Amino acid sequence: MNIPLNIDFQQILLHLFNFSILSFGLYLLLFKPVQSFMEKREHTYLDMHHKAETELKEAEELKAAYEKHLETVEAEVEEYKKKAMEEAEREADELLQSTKQQAAQIIMEAKKAAQKEREKILESAQKEIASMVMDAAEKLLSSSTSEALDRFLYSVKKE
Amino acid sequence: MTKKINKTVIILWICVILVLLAASFFVAPPDRSGESIKEQMRDAVLHDVNKINFLGIKDVNPAFISAVVVTSFLLLAGVCIRLFVIPKFQIIPSKFQLLLEQLVGFFASFAKEKSPHRYRFLSAYIFGAGMYIFFGTLFELFGIQAVTVNGRSIALPAPLADINGAIALGCLSYLIVLFGGFFGNGFKGVGSALKDFTMPLSMSFRLFGALLSGVLVTELLYHYISLSFGLPVVAGVLFTLLHALVQTYVLIMLTATSYGEASHKKERK
């Protein structure tokens, strides 16, 4: 059968065969790798976008929580301040009290020590005087007459 | 310094043009004892005289050899890009990466726009068809020579300037639409696609007619030596580029639109 325009089914099939190889080859070599790269990049950017959105949401929630906390924080600060003042006053009172006690004790101990010292000095003075008197008497006895001794003894007796 | 070099280059370029112009008038006129313009044009349409032996298997139309050359070139380029360019792709693309992404992105988004419910296979198909039509049409610009079985030397035409190539692509596009209709919509989809039974015919002959007109104009221009100087730059190169783009767009648009219509699930009223 003579088909017009030189149409040849065998050559049509050859063209189809050729085109199938080309389109499949181009799909595997170019279209698929380039498209998968583009999709991968798109996913990367989408992931980054989602991550940024999540982080932004978290930050906003945190901000809201802080703002809420900030509203109550002044009252808390006042309370803490009051507590601290009370604590400080109490500690100061305690310190003053203990200092007073210590001072009283120190004074008392000082008085006791002074008393002891006085007694000690008096005792030593008496001993010294007695010794001096004895020395003097010995000297007088050895050098003076009996009259003088009598006078002296008389004076001592008077004292 | 640069201006001086530019001037020298321009002067040299003008001299070359003048020499070529003068030479075109002095060379011997073309051999009219061979094919007449009528025979050449008839052969450009029918491809029934100048056949080329394909690997010693069969005498085929020159357009099939062109198709094989274009396919080999595109696959070779694809392999090179796959091996040396794609592994070096970066998040912020370079110029060539951007070109590839734009190309793939254009076909993918075109398919998605025309057939939003079923587009993955369609995008791959129109990518292949688009590349084949575009580069196949540009192929005729190179004027690669081949020897026919009659011992004549001819310039290889665009693959789709042969009616068999155009019918193959037109019918395959229609088959793709039919299968799209079947997979998307069952036998109803096939029925709706079958209603457009003139589509393969119109697709095939539109492609063939558009490509053939380019071939005929080019044949005409190059047949007369006085017309083959200067004019082919506009009539040949620019028109070829233009109709390569237009034919690519027309075929992928028709295929994608019909595919979208056939595979779209119709809701029951």
Side-chain angles (χ1 to χ4, degrees), chain B residues 110-125:
Chain B
F110 194 84
K112 201 174 178 179
E113 183 194 326
K114 298 290 174 193
S115 176
H117 34 275
R118 196 177 187 83
Y119 60 88
R120 290 218 171 260
F121 177 74
L122 178 69
S123 57
Y125 174 72

mmCIF file of all heavy atoms in Angstrom, chain B residues 110-125:
data_model
loop_
_atom_site.group_PDB
_atom_site.id
_atom_site.type_symbol
_atom_site.label_atom_id
_atom_site.label_comp_id
_atom_site.label_asym_id
_atom_site.label_seq_id
_atom_site.Cartn_x
_atom_site.Cartn_y
_atom_site.Cartn_z
ATOM 1 N N PHE B 110 4.850 24.172 34.890
ATOM 2 C CA PHE B 110 3.884 24.229 33.780
ATOM 3 C C PHE B 110 2.922 23.039 33.886
ATOM 4 O O PHE B 110 1.701 23.187 33.771
ATOM 5 C CB PHE B 110 4.646 24.187 32.454
ATOM 6 C CG PHE B 110 3.817 24.561 31.262
ATOM 7 C CD1 PHE B 110 3.640 25.894 30.922
ATOM 8 C CD2 PHE B 110 3.208 23.598 30.472
ATOM 9 C CE1 PHE B 110 2.871 26.250 29.828
ATOM 10 C CE2 PHE B 110 2.440 23.943 29.382
ATOM 11 C CZ PHE B 110 2.275 25.274 29.051
ATOM 12 N N ALA B 111 3.511 21.842 34.127
ATOM 13 C CA ALA B 111 2.676 20.638 34.251
ATOM 14 C C ALA B 111 1.765 20.742 35.465
ATOM 15 O O ALA B 111 0.589 20.380 35.412
ATOM 16 C CB ALA B 111 3.569 19.409 34.370
ATOM 17 N N LYS B 112 2.299 21.278 36.551
ATOM 18 C CA LYS B 112 1.512 21.410 37.790
ATOM 19 C C LYS B 112 0.367 22.397 37.597
ATOM 20 O O LYS B 112 -0.732 22.208 38.133
ATOM 21 C CB LYS B 112 2.445 21.880 38.908
ATOM 22 C CG LYS B 112 1.917 21.578 40.290
ATOM 23 C CD LYS B 112 2.972 21.934 41.307
ATOM 24 C CE LYS B 112 2.462 21.688 42.708
ATOM 25 N NZ LYS B 112 3.464 21.994 43.713
ATOM 26 N N GLU B 113 0.634 23.422 36.829
ATOM 27 C CA GLU B 113 -0.397 24.447 36.599
ATOM 28 C C GLU B 113 -1.519 23.918 35.716
ATOM 29 O O GLU B 113 -2.707 24.137 35.982
ATOM 30 C CB GLU B 113 0.275 25.657 35.934
ATOM 31 C CG GLU B 113 -0.641 26.827 35.707
ATOM 32 C CD GLU B 113 -0.014 27.848 34.760
ATOM 33 O OE1 GLU B 113 1.228 28.017 34.783
ATOM 34 O OE2 GLU B 113 -0.760 28.450 33.973
ATOM 35 N N LYS B 114 -1.148 23.163 34.683
ATOM 36 C CA LYS B 114 -2.160 22.693 33.736
ATOM 37 C C LYS B 114 -2.883 21.441 34.237
ATOM 38 O O LYS B 114 -4.024 21.195 33.864
ATOM 39 C CB LYS B 114 -1.515 22.370 32.374
ATOM 40 C CG LYS B 114 -0.869 23.554 31.697
ATOM 41 C CD LYS B 114 -1.891 24.545 31.221
ATOM 42 C CE LYS B 114 -1.189 25.780 30.671
ATOM 43 N NZ LYS B 114 -2.096 26.909 30.475
ATOM 44 N N SER B 115 -2.186 20.627 35.017
ATOM 45 C CA SER B 115 -2.814 19.415 35.519
ATOM 46 C C SER B 115 -2.454 19.261 37.003
ATOM 47 O O SER B 115 -1.594 18.450 37.364
ATOM 48 C CB SER B 115 -2.302 18.212 34.707
ATOM 49 O OG SER B 115 -2.816 17.031 35.217
ATOM 50 N N PRO B 116 -3.101 20.068 37.864
ATOM 51 C CA PRO B 116 -2.661 20.120 39.267
ATOM 52 C C PRO B 116 -2.838 18.820 40.048
ATOM 53 O O PRO B 116 -2.119 18.574 41.016
ATOM 54 C CB PRO B 116 -3.529 21.224 39.877
ATOM 55 C CG PRO B 116 -4.513 21.616 38.877
ATOM 56 C CD PRO B 116 -4.215 20.959 37.580
ATOM 57 N N HIS B 117 -3.779 17.969 39.606
ATOM 58 C CA HIS B 117 -4.072 16.747 40.365
ATOM 59 C C HIS B 117 -3.162 15.580 39.970
ATOM 60 O O HIS B 117 -3.053 14.615 40.696
ATOM 61 C CB HIS B 117 -5.539 16.366 40.158
ATOM 62 C CG HIS B 117 -6.008 16.710 38.785
ATOM 63 N ND1 HIS B 117 -6.465 17.973 38.471
ATOM 64 C CD2 HIS B 117 -6.013 16.010 37.645
ATOM 65 C CE1 HIS B 117 -6.750 17.999 37.172
ATOM 66 N NE2 HIS B 117 -6.483 16.835 36.662
ATOM 67 N N ARG B 118 -2.562 15.674 38.787
ATOM 68 C CA ARG B 118 -1.715 14.564 38.310
ATOM 69 C C ARG B 118 -0.670 15.158 37.359
ATOM 70 O O ARG B 118 -0.964 15.424 36.201
ATOM 71 C CB ARG B 118 -2.627 13.577 37.562
ATOM 72 C CG ARG B 118 -2.023 12.238 37.343
ATOM 73 C CD ARG B 118 -3.005 11.307 36.665
ATOM 74 N NE ARG B 118 -2.466 10.002 36.625
ATOM 75 C CZ ARG B 118 -2.515 9.130 37.627
ATOM 76 N NH1 ARG B 118 -3.145 9.462 38.738
ATOM 77 N NH2 ARG B 118 -1.976 7.952 37.523
ATOM 78 N N TYR B 119 0.535 15.346 37.869
ATOM 79 C CA TYR B 119 1.486 16.094 37.041
ATOM 80 C C TYR B 119 2.897 15.517 37.002
ATOM 81 O O TYR B 119 3.724 15.969 36.220
ATOM 82 C CB TYR B 119 1.558 17.550 37.518
ATOM 83 C CG TYR B 119 1.994 17.702 38.947
ATOM 84 C CD1 TYR B 119 3.337 17.800 39.270
ATOM 85 C CD2 TYR B 119 1.067 17.745 39.980
ATOM 86 C CE1 TYR B 119 3.737 17.929 40.576
ATOM 87 C CE2 TYR B 119 1.463 17.871 41.291
ATOM 88 C CZ TYR B 119 2.793 17.970 41.585
ATOM 89 O OH TYR B 119 3.193 18.087 42.890
ATOM 90 N N ARG B 120 3.209 14.531 37.823
ATOM 91 C CA ARG B 120 4.601 14.064 37.900
ATOM 92 C C ARG B 120 5.077 13.466 36.569
ATOM 93 O O ARG B 120 6.115 13.854 36.048
ATOM 94 C CB ARG B 120 4.765 13.050 39.031
ATOM 95 C CG ARG B 120 4.649 13.677 40.378
ATOM 96 C CD ARG B 120 5.621 13.058 41.359
ATOM 97 N NE ARG B 120 5.620 13.829 42.591
ATOM 98 C CZ ARG B 120 6.543 14.724 42.899
ATOM 99 N NH1 ARG B 120 7.531 14.958 42.074
ATOM 100 N NH2 ARG B 120 6.488 15.389 44.033
ATOM 101 N N PHE B 121 4.281 12.546 36.036
ATOM 102 C CA PHE B 121 4.675 11.921 34.768
ATOM 103 C C PHE B 121 4.623 12.953 33.637
ATOM 104 O O PHE B 121 5.496 12.990 32.768
ATOM 105 C CB PHE B 121 3.754 10.731 34.462
ATOM 106 C CG PHE B 121 4.046 10.089 33.143
ATOM 107 C CD1 PHE B 121 5.174 9.306 32.981
ATOM 108 C CD2 PHE B 121 3.225 10.295 32.048
ATOM 109 C CE1 PHE B 121 5.478 8.737 31.758
ATOM 110 C CE2 PHE B 121 3.520 9.730 30.824
ATOM 111 C CZ PHE B 121 4.647 8.948 30.683
ATOM 112 N N LEU B 122 3.581 13.770 33.679
ATOM 113 C CA LEU B 122 3.416 14.786 32.627
ATOM 114 C C LEU B 122 4.619 15.726 32.577
ATOM 115 O O LEU B 122 5.116 16.052 31.484
ATOM 116 C CB LEU B 122 2.126 15.579 32.873
ATOM 117 C CG LEU B 122 1.860 16.697 31.883
ATOM 118 C CD1 LEU B 122 1.529 16.135 30.507
ATOM 119 C CD2 LEU B 122 0.716 17.586 32.349
ATOM 120 N N SER B 123 5.097 16.142 33.757
ATOM 121 C CA SER B 123 6.226 17.081 33.760
ATOM 122 C C SER B 123 7.470 16.429 33.136
ATOM 123 O O SER B 123 8.186 17.077 32.369
ATOM 124 C CB SER B 123 6.519 17.576 35.174
ATOM 125 O OG SER B 123 6.778 16.489 36.016
ATOM 126 N N ALA B 124 7.693 15.145 33.434
ATOM 127 C CA ALA B 124 8.852 14.448 32.850
ATOM 128 C C ALA B 124 8.683 14.325 31.333
ATOM 129 O O ALA B 124 9.632 14.522 30.569
ATOM 130 C CB ALA B 124 9.014 13.078 33.477
ATOM 131 N N TYR B 125 7.446 14.041 30.901
ATOM 132 C CA TYR B 125 7.217 13.877 29.463
ATOM 133 C C TYR B 125 7.394 15.192 28.711
ATOM 134 O O TYR B 125 8.084 15.255 27.691
ATOM 135 C CB TYR B 125 5.808 13.315 29.211
ATOM 136 C CG TYR B 125 5.484 13.268 27.727
ATOM 137 C CD1 TYR B 125 6.087 12.334 26.906
ATOM 138 C CD2 TYR B 125 4.627 14.198 27.156
ATOM 139 C CE1 TYR B 125 5.839 12.310 25.545
ATOM 140 C CE2 TYR B 125 4.370 14.186 25.800
ATOM 141 C CZ TYR B 125 4.975 13.237 24.990
ATOM 142 O OH TYR B 125 4.741 13.228 23.645
#
